[in-house]
Amino acid sequence: MANLRATTIQGQIKEISEELANAAAHLTEVTKAVSIFGSARIKPDSEYYSKTIQISKKLVEAGFSIISGGGPGIMEAANRGCYEAGGTSVGLNIKLPFETSNNPYQSHSIDFKYFMPRKTTFFMNSWAYIILPGGFGTLDELFEALTLIQTGKANKAPIVFVGKAFWQDLILFFEKNLLGHGYISPKDLNLYSLTDCPDEVVRIVTEGYLKNQEAEHCLGLC
């Protein structure tokens, strides 16, 4: 039994490594990418769906590529806005109960069996993270981004919540409970922004990208 389990684990490690290598090979020429997270269950008639299309198109106009989870809902809107604007539209696809098919608005489509290499691919290739309303999956991606940036394990990048009415209670929880009990530092509240305005999203992302480029340039001169 122990040998069988070890063989299974080794097989999974091999598959995960192959998925990471495949994703890296596909994305070598994808630059200035922004990841957009949100629920697969949001319908096309939702205000958040149409707002995501706006945000995606404006980011493409500002010179950015778009990465989403490749499914329906917010992910579809993110890829759709990018695709319709002629940008590089990346879908990191994984089959789930509420994501039975990939959306058709992908110029780069990558399939994953495992969550770990999929999430790693997001965080290795993104210069900003846009968080639309979503469920456990969206929260998982949100807290992964916050933790990696807070601890310096990922590029310093803007995290932008879109949807004040949806997210304001969570942000109050951060301020009252997490900061209030000393579980995070005051500076950690600067890791994210909250807005309902697509133009504001683009401004935050662009300014964050330029600051990172300036910081990398300074490091290169040292």
Side-chain angles (χ1 to χ4, degrees), residues 27-210:
L27 299 178
T28 51
E29 297 181 1
V30 175
T31 59
K32 291 183 67 176
V34 176
S35 286
I36 299 180
F37 301 127
S39 176
R41 307 187 198 197
I42 285 179
K43 304 301 181 184
D45 60 357
S46 165
E47 64 172 304
Y48 292 119
Y49 186 98
S50 59
K51 183 164 289 188
T52 302
I53 290 177
Q54 292 179 50
I55 291 169
S56 185
K57 286 183 175 180
K58 288 177 179 291
L59 285 169
V60 170
E61 291 166 0
F64 293 94
S65 303
I66 300 297
I67 302 177
S68 90
I74 292 298
M75 294 172 284
E76 178 181 289
N79 286 132
R80 179 177 173 179
C82 179
Y83 191 84
E84 291 179 351
T88 300
S89 177
V90 180
L92 306 184
N93 309 290
I94 191 166
K95 288 294 185 290
L96 297 171
F98 293 98
E99 298 173 39
T100 55
S101 62
N102 305 334
N103 74 65
Y105 303 104
Q106 303 175 34
S107 56
H108 290 63
S109 183
I110 306 172
D111 294 324
F112 292 86
K113 178 180 178 182
Y114 297 97
F115 272 110
M116 192 278 281
R118 181 177 183 251
K119 288 204 295 183
T120 300
T121 300
F122 275 118
F123 298 116
M124 289 181 65
N125 292 278
S126 298
W127 288 95
Y129 306 95
I130 313 302
I131 317 296
L132 276 293
F136 289 150
T138 301
L139 291 173
D140 177 45
E141 291 153 343
L142 163 65
F143 285 112
E144 185 95 18
L146 285 168
T147 301
L148 291 174
I149 294 171
Q150 179 201 48
T151 58
K153 299 299 183 180
N155 292 326
K156 187 174 181 182
I159 298 171
V160 186
F161 290 97
V162 177
K164 290 183 178 180
F166 185 86
W167 292 115
Q168 61 187 359
D169 287 344
L170 178 63
I171 290 175
L172 286 173
F173 176 83
F174 291 168
E175 296 170 353
K176 180 180 178 180
N177 290 53
L178 301 189
L179 181 62
H181 289 284
Y183 300 150
I184 61 173
S185 302
K187 65 179 181 180
D188 293 329
L189 300 182
N190 297 324
L191 292 174
Y192 55 83
S193 305
L194 172 65
T195 185
D196 283 318
C197 176
D199 288 329
E200 180 72 359
V201 172
V202 177
R203 183 192 66 78
I204 293 168
V205 170
T206 302
E207 289 182 0
Y209 177 79
L210 292 175

